[in-house]
Amino acid sequence: MRSEGEELLTKKRRLSGTIKRHWEYFCQHNRTTKISDNKEADQSNTESEAKFDFTVMSYNILSQNLLEDNSHLYKHCRQRLLIWTYRFPNILQEIKQLDADVLCLQEVQEDHYRTEIKSSLESLGYHCEYKVRTGRKPDGCAICFKTSKFSLISSNPVEFFRHDIPLLDRDNVGLVLLLQPRLPCKTNAAVCVANTHLLYNPRRGDIKLTQLAMLLAEIASVAPQEDGTFCPIIICGDFNSVPGSPLYRFIKEGKLNYEGLAIGKVSGQEQFPRGQRILSIPIWPKKLGISQNCEYEIKRQPKEENAGEKCEAAKPEKAQEIVLASEKLSSKLQHHFKLSSVYSHYFPETGVPEVTTCHSRSAVTVDYIFYSAANDDTAAQPGAEDSFHGGLKLLGRLALLTEKDLWTVNGLPNENNSSDHLPLLAEFRLVER
């Protein structure tokens, strides 16, 4: 039984909607975390002149349209907490407080982006790139970066809908930016940042894997450097897949043999999956133009210039049009990025799962930050130590919470946290090759 004091604390938390998340460091450095209230100390680290450290946030901010279309998920919430005029100031305050150098946002509603989100973030020093979902879907993905830290090399939207391919009839999108660090540092490598929100439907693992392959192919076309290696890569998003699922393992391990795999088991979202049809071999048709190695089979000419706010693309000369050798039918998918996850998904002391989203129906992890780890990155998961040409060291992360923690503040959204997802936040160091 809980003591009377514990009961009072739980009641107070639920009423105030406040719960603290702490910062976890993986290596020593003198930097005062941006989460602290004393932000002035942040800029005074003399080590920053020699090293390039930066923070990245991934955050599904919950589109108002989707909230209203799925109101059954938020029956636990008081109605006043669900209106946009209440929610947006909270979301903006959270972004201000966490003060990430790069934001990867999902479920960014287009009308809200145009009228207030973009201008609000620009006033905080961010440059914003946005890709709305195709069809009549009113939300999309945004990547925003501090112009004091990065400049834009290229912005590359990815549409997963293809009118000529029946499999790809969903309106999800991705966005891939190539960024140039601004501050003096030993390495002048660019950084590739990708953001996506994959299809939710637990029974359509075939679509999810194809959407992921399309995103990886775009990254593979954007991230190569002149020496043939890839620049450091960060992939953020809501993948609508749980840790340990075949889709998750494919991202982490770089390979997946899907022979005999039921489409309902790809994402691991359902304990008793209803999608029992076996994945076809190959999953996607040849006309998609993406190989089983998740690369474009015909590598495209570099773009001469980007439209609108986008600046001139700078892709290596190797991206000239080259027709790759056709492959035999295979049930084996591969990609060339050795990726590690910022989060470990379970609390080591207890084995209790971390959660990134919590509402009336479920509390699970579906949001991730993956990165190409430097060889000396002690935080990288096993298998990532030989990351080929990585260049990122994970310095720290904002700890996640358990489902029990979140229900002490009445789940999500609540008084202070106005999305049904938690923001993920990591600090990286760009390491010289």
Side-chain angles (χ1 to χ4, degrees):
M1 276 185 70
R2 292 191 297 179
S3 68
E4 187 178 341
E6 287 176 317
E7 293 285 358
L8 285 170
L9 179 60
T10 298
K11 186 176 181 181
K12 186 177 179 181
R13 274 182 176 174
R14 185 171 281 118
L15 288 171
S16 66
T18 57
I19 189 166
K20 288 187 177 180
R21 296 171 63 187
H22 65 279
W23 189 258
E24 298 175 327
Y25 285 110
F26 293 101
C27 53
Q28 290 184 343
H29 60 108
N30 298 327
R31 191 174 181 277
T32 303
T33 175
K34 291 187 174 185
I35 298 160
S36 67
D37 292 328
N38 182 18
K39 294 189 177 181
E40 293 79 8
D42 231 7
Q43 309 301 322
S44 62
N45 183 14
T46 55
E47 282 192 3
S48 65
E49 293 178 5
K51 300 181 178 69
F52 188 78
D53 297 350
F54 63 101
T55 51
V56 176
M57 175 195 290
S58 184
Y59 193 11
N60 181 328
I61 65 172
L62 181 57
S63 152
Q64 190 67 21
N65 277 66
L66 290 173
L67 183 157
E68 292 168 7
D69 289 347
N70 297 278
S71 57
H72 59 284
L73 300 178
Y74 310 108
K75 290 178 179 176
H76 61 288
C77 303
R78 283 176 284 175
Q79 284 304 303
R80 72 176 185 85
L81 305 183
L82 299 179
I83 59 174
W84 179 246
T85 51
Y86 181 90
R87 294 179 55 233
F88 179 58
N90 266 357
I91 291 167
L92 189 61
Q93 178 57 33
E94 205 163 18
I95 289 172
K96 280 182 182 176
Q97 183 187 8
L98 297 178
D99 197 24
D101 298 311
V102 180
L103 307 174
C104 290
L105 306 177
Q106 305 88 41
E107 290 193 26
V108 180
Q109 193 163 304
E110 186 178 24
D111 58 343
H112 293 152
Y113 175 76
R114 301 295 176 199
T115 57
E116 53 190 333
I117 296 175
K118 182 173 184 279
S119 58
S120 296
L121 293 178
E122 285 175 342
S123 72
L124 297 176
Y126 291 99
H127 171 86
C128 303
E129 293 288 323
Y130 179 70
K131 175 58 184 169
V132 69
R133 284 204 285 165
T134 49
R136 296 184 177 181
K137 300 298 189 296
D139 66 285
C141 293
I143 302 179
C144 313
F145 59 89
K146 289 279 185 73
T147 55
S148 60
K149 296 282 280 192
F150 294 97
S151 59
L152 181 65
I153 299 174
S154 68
S155 179
N156 309 272
V158 187
E159 294 183 355
F160 299 143
F161 176 85
R162 286 282 297 265
H163 65 86
D164 58 334
I165 298 177
L167 172 69
L168 294 171
D169 61 352
R170 307 305 164 96
D171 293 307
N172 306 80
V173 296
L175 186 59
V176 182
L177 300 193
L178 196 61
L179 300 177
Q180 183 71 52
R182 279 193 187 277
L183 299 182
C185 54
K186 291 182 179 179
T187 178
N188 60 358
V191 177
C192 180
V193 179
N195 182 24
T196 193
H197 188 178
L198 298 185
L199 178 70
Y200 167 76
N201 191 337
R203 293 173 294 241
R204 294 308 304 268
D206 50 347
I207 299 177
K208 292 176 194 268
L209 280 173
T210 307
Q211 290 179 345
L212 176 60
M214 294 171 77
L215 182 73
L216 294 173
E218 185 64 26
I219 294 169
S221 77
V222 169
Q225 301 185 115
E226 290 183 1
D227 62 359
T229 66
F230 291 108
C231 71
I233 294 164
I234 297 170
I235 307 177
C236 296
D238 180 342
F239 290 81
N240 276 313
S241 301
V242 303
S245 65
L247 186 143
Y248 173 89
R249 293 201 314 271
F250 174 52
I251 296 172
K252 287 279 303 292
E253 297 170 10
K255 58 186 178 180
L256 174 67
N257 186 346
Y258 61 85
E259 184 175 7
L261 180 61
I263 59 171
K265 292 185 178 179
V266 168
S267 64
Q269 291 162 282
E270 294 181 330
Q271 190 173 1
F272 304 104
R274 290 167 282 174
Q276 295 301 327
R277 181 166 59 84
I278 301 301
L279 286 166
S280 61
I281 301 174
I283 299 173
W284 56 82
K286 185 79 173 170
K287 63 163 42 173
L288 181 59
I290 291 177
S291 72
Q292 299 295 289
N293 291 329
C294 298
E295 296 175 317
Y296 292 122
E297 291 189 313
I298 297 178
K299 294 188 177 180
R300 299 166 304 163
Q301 293 278 4
K303 298 172 187 175
E304 290 182 7
E305 61 180 64
N306 289 310
E309 299 170 343
K310 302 173 180 64
C311 67
E312 187 173 331
K315 291 186 181 179
E317 292 180 6
K318 291 190 178 183
Q320 299 298 320
E321 193 166 309
I322 302 168
V323 180
L324 303 179
S326 60
E327 302 164 327
K328 296 178 180 178
L329 290 183
S330 170
S331 62
K332 295 178 181 177
L333 297 180
Q334 289 183 300
H335 68 76
H336 297 303
F337 316 120
K338 301 281 178 64
L339 298 170
S340 201
S341 172
V342 164
Y343 290 90
S344 50
H345 316 309
Y346 297 90
F347 289 91
E349 306 83 8
T350 61
V352 174
E354 300 170 336
V355 301
T356 66
T357 181
C358 179
H359 50 63
S360 296
R361 289 282 180 90
S362 69
V364 292
T365 284
V366 292
D367 307 279
Y368 303 93
I369 302 175
F370 298 105
Y371 69 103
S372 51
N375 290 332
D376 63 344
D377 183 9
T378 55
Q381 281 88 27
E385 296 88 349
D386 64 339
S387 176
F388 94 71
H389 310 299
L392 291 173
K393 187 174 209 173
L394 180 62
L395 300 182
R397 66 189 180 199
L398 182 59
L400 286 168
L401 300 168
T402 67
E403 179 180 6
K404 183 179 178 183
D405 290 333
L406 286 169
W407 283 117
T408 66
V409 291
N410 203 39
L412 296 171
N414 57 48
E415 194 90 23
N416 293 307
N417 308 101
S418 285
S419 174
D420 57 350
H421 291 247
L422 293 172
L424 280 58
L425 182 65
E427 183 175 13
F428 296 103
R429 175 166 293 164
L430 194 56
V431 177
E432 189 175 23
R433 294 177 187 279

